[in-house]
Structures are given as structure tokens and as C-alpha cells.
Amino acid sequence: MNRKTVLITGSSSGIGKATAKYFQSKGWNVIATMRSPENEKELNKLPNLLCTKLDVTKPDTIRKAIDEGIKSFGTIDVLINNAGYGLVGPFEGAGKEQIQRQFETNVFGLMEVVRAILPIFRKKKKGSILNVASMGGRITFPLYSLYHSTKWAVEGFSESLQYELEPFGIRVKIIEPGAIATDFIGRSADSTSDQAPKEYKDFTDIVYGNMMKAMNTSTGEQVAKVLFKAANDSSRRLRYAVGMDAKGLLGLRKFVSDGILFGMMRLSLLRSTKSVA
Ligand SMILES: NC(=O)c1ccc[n+]([C@@H]2O[C@H](COP(=O)([O-])OP(=O)(O)OC[C@H]3O[C@@H](n4cnc5c(N)ncnc54)[C@H](OP(=O)(O)O)[C@@H]3O)[C@@H](O)[C@H]2O)c1
């Protein structure tokens, strides 16, 4: 059997780790990349899986991981750009460096990995690039302005890129998970709230409280299964939503006016917000 090979970024936890395990269990070779492979205790015990270092903000690690993957498995068929995190809270509390780090990881880092893989896919006249965006790449929630701007950027980048890569047999696909139970909300998140003016506090408390009540999470494995489907899908389909929340909200975005959508968002997330005027 000719095994296919996938390279995944951000495989140390959550969606990336579940995806590495899922592809491996389906008979693929997996290049599971992460910032600190020396801390990995589980993936490196699996056959046909190479655990190696890749920090999307460090281009030399991207090149090395790709070279090492090709040395181990001969080629790469699918790239999954999964690494990313959320900077959340009032925009006014965000420092320039926090914003830069958010874009360096979620947008420019992703682009650097794409840049590094393209010569390989172009030469083969084949390959798939799967970019993990979010339902938050086409809709927005309050207090997520910076995270959303990165995911909207990933959506626009990917949507346009699909056309110019098509003549080379390269597919681009966007995965749009809803809320997923991972380290995203805890360990990985960065917050602007501590530096935000105190006038935002009531608003922030109410929005986060309402969000917790409304949240309905899916699992990393559910995303992994959709990524697997997309990796094996040679059609031109671009977008794959994951989870009832993502499917529902992205459906609403398509079928109702902005006014109705924003009204529904205010009703469910801003209820009992006191006037801050
Ligand atoms: N969870 C959700 O609700 C949700 C919803 C929609 C979209 N997403 C997207 O799904 C992707 C995965 O998130 P997750 O939910 O699985 O959260 P997670 O468990 O926090 O995983 C995030 C991963 O990204 C890695 N990472 C962060 N900065 C990196 C960098 N500079 N270079 C390489 N890797 C880096 C982390 O590595 P370290 O262990 O080294 O920190 C970790 O492996 C993200 O792009 C996120 O935006 C998540």
C-alpha cells in the first residue's frame, strides 16, 4: 500500500493532536509538528509518526521540519495548518506586541508554512492545503475582534489562493470549527482584559457569562474526522464547517440579513449589559 503523508502544525494538543492520532490510525504517515517535541509523551510512541519541532513564527524550523518529514516518508501529500490561539478581550486593552504575536502566529506563520510547502506540491503537481480557520472566520462575537481579524484573514487568503493553485493540481480547503473542547480557552489563550480600562468590566463579565451558557462544544476528534474527509476530497469544495454551532451560525450568515444576525447576537450575548455611556 502506498501510504499518504500529512504534515500538521500545532500537534501538541487539542485539534492538532487528535488529528495526528486519527490520520495515523487510518494508515497515513504523520509528521506531527510542535514547538516543544521534547515534551511529547504519546505521539512519539506511534508507528509511522514523526514528532518534530516547528514553530510557525520561525521559518528555519518550518524548513527543517519539512526536510525531515520528506527524509522519513519520501514526500508530503497534505499540509494541515492548525497552529493558532485566541487573543480575547476589549481591543483597547491590547498591546501592540500582543496584536503582532496574534497575527505572527495565526496569519503570517500560516503563510510561511504555505510558502515553504508550495515548491514541493507544484513539482508533484499535486497536494492539499487544509487551513484551520474557525466559524469565527466568517461571523463575529463581541470581545474577539483581534482573533476574528486573523481568522477572517485566513479565510480571504485561502479563498483567493485556491484559484492560482488550481492549475498546479493543488487544492486549498478551509476548516471552520465551532467551539471545540481543547486548551484553546485555557492554557493557549491570551487576554487583553487586565490592561483594558475598567469601564469595560461590566460588559466583559456579561458577555463571557452569556457565552459560557450558550457554548455547546464539539471534540477535537470530530474536527479530525472532517479534516480527514477534506484531505481525501479531490473536489473543489472549499469550506467544511464542524459542529452544530458552526453549521447553524454560518447558515444564518448566509440566509439572514446582517441586521437580523446582529440583533440575534445582541439578544443572546449582550443581555443585561448596563449602559456604559
Ligand atoms: N477550540 C476551539 O473552540 C476552536 C474553534 C475554532 C477554531 N480553532 C482553531 O483550531 C486551531 C487549534 O486550536 P485548539 O482548539 O486545538 O487549541 P489548543 O489545544 O490550544 O492548540 C493550539 C496549538 O497551537 C500551537 N501553537 C501556538 N502557537 C504556535 C506557534 N507559534 N507555532 C506552532 N504551534 C503553535 C500550540 O502549541 P503549544 O503547545 O506549544 O502552545 C498548540 O499545539 C487553532 O488555529 C484555533 O484557532 C479552535
Side-chain angles (χ1 to χ4, degrees):
M1 187 183 77
N2 220 352
R3 283 173 176 275
K4 283 194 173 178
T5 301
V6 60
L7 185 148
I8 308 165
T9 65
S11 301
S12 64
S13 67
I15 294 169
K17 187 168 210 166
T19 303
K21 288 202 271 191
Y22 193 75
F23 275 68
Q24 191 274 342
S25 76
K26 293 288 176 187
W28 282 51
N29 298 319
V30 176
I31 308 162
T33 73
M34 56 195 77
R35 287 192 287 193
S36 309
E38 64 281 7
N39 297 335
E40 179 54 42
K41 303 272 179 283
E42 192 186 358
L43 294 181
N44 48 16
K45 297 198 172 70
L46 299 174
N48 305 312
L49 189 148
L50 169 74
C51 246
T52 193
K53 186 178 177 69
L54 189 159
D55 180 332
V56 297
T57 65
K58 299 190 174 134
D60 57 318
T61 68
I62 300 173
R63 278 191 303 274
K64 274 190 199 150
I66 290 175
D67 288 350
E68 211 185 319
I70 291 177
K71 211 167 148 198
S72 297
F73 301 125
T75 190
I76 297 172
D77 300 288
V78 174
L79 163 66
I80 298 183
N81 275 310
N82 162 74
Y85 73 95
L87 171 61
V88 299
F91 169 73
E92 216 181 327
K96 194 171 174 192
E97 279 177 15
Q98 270 183 311
I99 300 173
Q100 274 168 343
R101 195 170 80 88
Q102 175 75 134
F103 275 82
E104 288 292 347
T105 306
N106 292 11
V107 183
F108 306 136
L110 176 146
M111 288 176 178
E112 283 308 309
V113 186
V114 171
R115 187 204 300 284
I117 206 79
L118 280 181
I120 294 155
F121 285 179
R122 245 186 327 100
K123 204 166 158 203
K124 283 167 45 135
K125 291 204 166 300
K126 210 169 182 222
S128 292
I129 297 170
L130 276 45
N131 291 332
V132 178
S134 168
M135 68 177 167
R138 284 195 293 140
I139 51 162
T140 63
F141 303 109
L143 301 174
Y144 276 73
S145 62
L146 293 163
Y147 177 68
H148 285 310
S149 16
T150 66
K151 294 297 183 179
W152 282 56
V154 170
E155 291 267 354
F157 172 64
S158 311
E159 187 176 299
S160 172
L161 197 66
Q162 65 172 333
Y163 301 115
E164 75 201 49
L165 297 185
E166 214 171 89
F168 302 109
I170 303 169
R171 293 267 178 249
V172 179
K173 292 174 179 293
I174 307 170
I175 312 304
E176 301 173 319
I180 312 295
T182 62
D183 286 350
F184 181 81
I185 295 284
R187 178 186 66 91
S188 299
D190 190 9
S191 168
T192 69
S193 295
D194 288 350
Q195 303 89 264
K198 63 178 179 1
E199 288 84 349
Y200 286 99
K201 188 169 182 327
D202 286 348
F203 181 89
T204 307
D205 288 348
I206 286 163
V207 169
Y208 287 153
N210 286 332
M211 268 183 180
M212 291 313 282
K213 276 187 247 153
M215 196 141 48
N216 187 2
T217 54
S218 305
T219 64
E221 177 153 303
Q222 281 173 269
V223 187
K225 284 181 179 164
V226 174
L227 279 160
F228 190 73
K229 181 178 165 192
N232 286 294
D233 184 353
S234 58
S235 80
R236 285 178 168 161
R237 178 171 170 190
L238 178 66
R239 292 189 163 91
Y240 301 72
V242 190
M244 291 311 289
D245 52 353
K247 287 178 185 160
L249 286 165
L250 292 170
L252 272 179
R253 171 107 259 184
K254 209 184 270 180
F255 294 115
V256 306
S257 66
D258 278 358
I260 293 175
L261 182 68
F262 303 158
M264 290 169 77
M265 210 59 90
R266 287 192 172 92
L267 208 62
S268 66
L269 295 180
L270 308 188
R271 247 172 328 171
S272 72
T273 304
K274 288 178 208 147
S275 168
V276 289

